[in-house]
Amino acid sequence: MTTGTDRPTDAEATPGGSAAPGGNSSAYGESLADVYDSLYPAAGPAIDSMVGFLQKLRPAPASLLELGVGTGRLAIPLAGSGYRVHGVDASPAMLAKLHENDSTGRVTTSVGDFSALAVEERYDLVLTALNTFFMLPTQEQQISCLRGIHDALADDGVAVFETYNPQVYHRLTEATTRVGHLAPDALLLDTIQVNQSLQSVLVVHTIMSAGGLRKVPEVSRYAWPAEFDVMARLAGLRVTDRWADWDRSPVTSHSEKHVYVVERQNV
């Protein structure tokens, strides 16, 4: 077991994003909605870099669908940059917090299971950020999500996925603990266990504050890059680029994250 005192980076802090489909993810979002903005601040260089990355792919006022939109950490700055943003999340509490944060009311939302995505509109951009894709717990659900994204994309649209580098967790051979600071009177303790054969990561978030102690479990299933490529092809998509971050830095064995750019195969 290892411990740390500094709050981890986004790629390290938690395998999952804001909320994945189904009862477990909805419970995850409901449990963390009140502290999510402390976990993932909605401003700073990382946000600016992400907006710039998407602007080069499809500039505003393109239409954008964000899956696992959470409290609007990305959606609100994107809407402020001129994108027409719709967000899907499994957690009503997360979406309620998003609308509190969205003072202009520019982001539209819906509660939904994005492993079985069904949308009426087709979008120029589909964004699945902060490891949210890996919160789909099976390969079948991940392929189903990719098929839904295929159908949601405009003919010349692109999908963007931000995931952790599987190697970050696959190399953990024993339980690992990381400690981060949420607030002057609150700590976050993450206990991480990896099942390498299942490509599965279990994180138990323990929040310790003046109000007491709260535990929130989270499971993610990581896919290696070659597997992601095959799943995308099965869904009628193809990976066109893979970067180590929003700054388009090249992927190395030490990269903490992967940013995939995916298009429909018939483009």
Side-chain angles (χ1 to χ4, degrees):
M1 177 178 292
T2 62
T3 61
T5 55
D6 293 326
R7 188 181 174 280
T9 65
D10 283 355
E12 297 173 319
T14 166
S18 55
N24 289 339
S25 65
S26 179
Y28 166 81
E30 299 293 290
S31 298
L32 290 182
D34 61 326
V35 298
Y36 193 78
D37 290 344
S38 296
L39 287 169
Y40 302 107
I47 302 295
D48 296 339
S49 182
M50 180 275 304
V51 173
F53 182 97
L54 296 179
Q55 287 276 19
K56 289 181 180 178
L57 287 176
R58 297 294 184 274
S63 59
L64 185 148
L65 173 66
E66 184 181 354
L67 305 182
V69 67
T71 62
R73 169 181 173 266
L74 304 181
I76 294 171
L78 285 166
S81 297
Y83 286 98
R84 294 177 286 117
V85 182
H86 182 78
V88 176
D89 204 283
S91 167
M94 285 281 196
L95 296 181
K97 188 66 176 176
L98 181 154
H99 291 296
E100 288 181 20
N101 294 338
D102 183 19
S103 59
T104 64
R106 292 177 178 172
V107 180
T108 62
T109 63
S110 58
V111 177
D113 176 349
F114 64 82
S115 69
L117 183 64
V119 294
E120 295 181 2
E121 184 178 348
R122 295 175 70 188
Y123 294 85
D124 301 311
L125 282 163
V126 176
L127 174 64
T128 309
L130 201 60
N131 315 315
T132 302
F133 181 73
F134 285 171
M135 286 187 75
L136 296 165
T138 69
Q139 185 184 70
E140 290 74 17
Q141 285 177 295
Q142 291 176 352
I143 294 172
S144 176
C145 176
L146 289 166
R147 285 176 174 149
I149 289 172
H150 171 276
D151 294 343
L153 279 174
D155 289 341
D156 61 347
V158 293
V160 179
F161 299 80
E162 179 191 26
T163 72
Y164 58 78
N165 180 353
Q167 192 63 39
V168 170
Y169 289 97
H170 191 75
R171 64 187 175 216
L172 298 179
T173 58
E174 58 184 24
T176 300
T177 299
R178 293 170 177 159
V179 180
H181 296 273
L182 286 178
D185 61 347
L187 288 176
L188 173 69
L189 181 70
D190 283 344
T191 303
I192 305 164
Q193 292 181 296
V194 178
N195 185 320
Q196 294 177 328
S197 62
L198 296 178
Q199 299 173 206
S200 177
V201 181
L202 169 65
V203 180
V204 178
H205 304 284
T206 303
I207 300 170
M208 296 173 285
S209 66
L213 184 145
R214 187 190 333 173
K215 290 189 175 183
V216 182
E218 174 191 339
V219 177
S220 68
R221 186 235 176 226
Y222 53 86
W224 296 100
E227 181 188 5
F228 186 93
D229 289 353
V230 171
M231 291 194 297
R233 291 188 183 192
L234 289 173
L237 301 165
R238 63 188 181 95
V239 176
T240 60
D241 288 297
R242 182 164 60 97
W243 307 98
D245 210 335
W246 299 113
D247 61 3
R248 288 180 166 78
S249 53
V251 172
T252 72
S253 60
H254 301 292
S255 301
E256 291 182 348
K257 70 169 69 172
H258 292 162
V259 177
Y260 292 90
V261 178
V262 176
E263 296 179 350
R264 293 166 66 109
Q265 286 186 10
N266 58 355
V267 173

